[in-house]
Amino acid sequence: GQNIDQPTEMTATEGAIVQINCTYQTSGFNGLFWYQQHAGEAPTFLSYNVLDGLEEKGRFSSFLSRSKGYSYLLLKELQMKDSASYLCAVRGGDYKLSFGAGTTVTVRA
Amino acid sequence: IAGITQAPTSQILAAGRRMTLRCTQDMRHNAMYWYRQDLGLGLRLIHYSNTAGTTGKGEVPDGYSVSRANTDDFPLTLASAVPSQTSVYFCASSSGTSSSEQFFGPGTRLTVL
């Protein structure tokens, strides 16, 4: 089975930086994805990591360490529209995605 | 159509009734998926299809069935709905390559009374 852990909630101030951690234990590994989900909406793709290291995409960056079973999503220069749930998902050896329960980020003015 | 559509948007259903949730994509993606999302549990895979004509069971398949007669459509059927199937259901698709992300439909909010 798959075990994916991420914090339930985080709060940060507009303009600040927030780091959302994700740890995983899976049967096989074929990549880690981060999705953003606004309340009442569908998840949308943010990033994909399959090799160790940092992937940067504008204000968002994602890091992966396969040996530690660890990833983080870094949100910089936070904006009010970044208030959402952030889902960590791991593609296991069977190529199916397993999702964490999600981290709800609240951005305050 | 652009992307993935789901119908209905929401539904209230009496326990014991049969219900089919519809999902259609126009991206010619090979792989399609059905998830349910419940508070505190995240997205859980119900069934999937790697290509037209094939289907497989996910993490929580009991009480659900799917079919994949063509590339575009992937309906999910609840043969006899129970209250524990109250959830938000998301359909997703991907091109099926190892690095490809999944694209999600807008979801169906189902309440079984």
Side-chain angles (χ1 to χ4, degrees):
Chain A
Q2 322 288 39
N3 187 26
I4 300 168
D5 290 315
Q6 49 182 132
T8 304
E9 294 180 338
M10 301 183 76
T11 301
T13 305
E14 199 173 12
I17 298 173
V18 69
Q19 177 175 315
I20 306 169
N21 296 323
C22 172
T23 58
Y24 63 89
Q25 292 175 308
T26 60
S27 304
F29 179 82
N30 284 294
L32 187 144
F33 295 78
W34 284 95
Y35 283 83
Q36 181 189 60
Q37 185 177 25
H38 286 100
E41 297 183 8
T44 55
F45 169 75
L46 285 179
S47 69
Y48 168 70
N49 295 70
V50 67
L51 299 176
D52 290 353
L54 189 68
E55 293 282 341
E56 297 188 82
K57 257 190 192 181
R59 295 189 297 114
F60 294 1
S61 303
S62 56
F63 171 83
L64 175 67
S65 168
R66 289 172 297 171
S67 62
K68 295 181 179 178
Y70 168 70
S71 173
Y72 68 72
L73 180 69
L74 195 69
L75 315 180
K76 293 177 277 190
E77 300 168 20
L78 278 172
Q79 302 175 10
M80 299 300 288
K81 67 179 181 179
D82 297 329
S83 292
S85 283
Y86 292 85
L87 314 179
C88 174
V90 176
R91 178 174 281 154
D94 58 3
Y95 285 88
K96 297 193 203 62
L97 276 187
S98 294
F99 285 82
T103 299
T104 300
V105 171
T106 302
V107 180
R108 293 186 174 162
Chain B
I1 300 177
I4 303 181
T5 58
Q6 293 183 236
T9 302
S10 65
Q11 182 76 43
I12 299 174
L13 191 65
R17 297 296 296 268
R18 180 184 180 88
M19 176 74 192
T20 295
L21 308 185
R22 299 185 297 280
C23 174
T24 299
Q25 54 104 357
D26 66 353
M27 297 176 283
R28 308 303 295 171
H29 282 168
N30 286 323
M32 296 187 75
Y33 312 86
W34 274 105
Y35 294 91
R36 59 178 290 173
Q37 187 173 38
D38 303 289
L39 197 62
L41 293 178
L43 286 156
R44 292 181 292 168
L45 183 66
I46 304 170
H47 284 288
Y48 66 95
S49 169
N50 287 330
T51 189
T54 69
T55 62
K57 293 181 180 180
E59 181 185 354
V60 288
D62 294 343
Y64 306 95
S65 64
V66 291
S67 61
R68 187 90 184 276
N70 57 61
T71 298
D72 299 345
D73 302 300
F74 191 43
L76 176 75
T77 297
L78 289 67
S80 178
V82 295
S84 62
Q85 292 177 311
T86 294
S87 187
V88 180
Y89 291 85
F90 287 102
C91 179
S93 72
S94 72
S95 64
T97 62
S98 59
S99 63
S100 62
E101 72 268 31
Q102 292 183 13
F103 294 85
F104 285 81
T108 294
R109 183 173 295 274
L110 182 67
T111 302
V112 182
L113 301 177

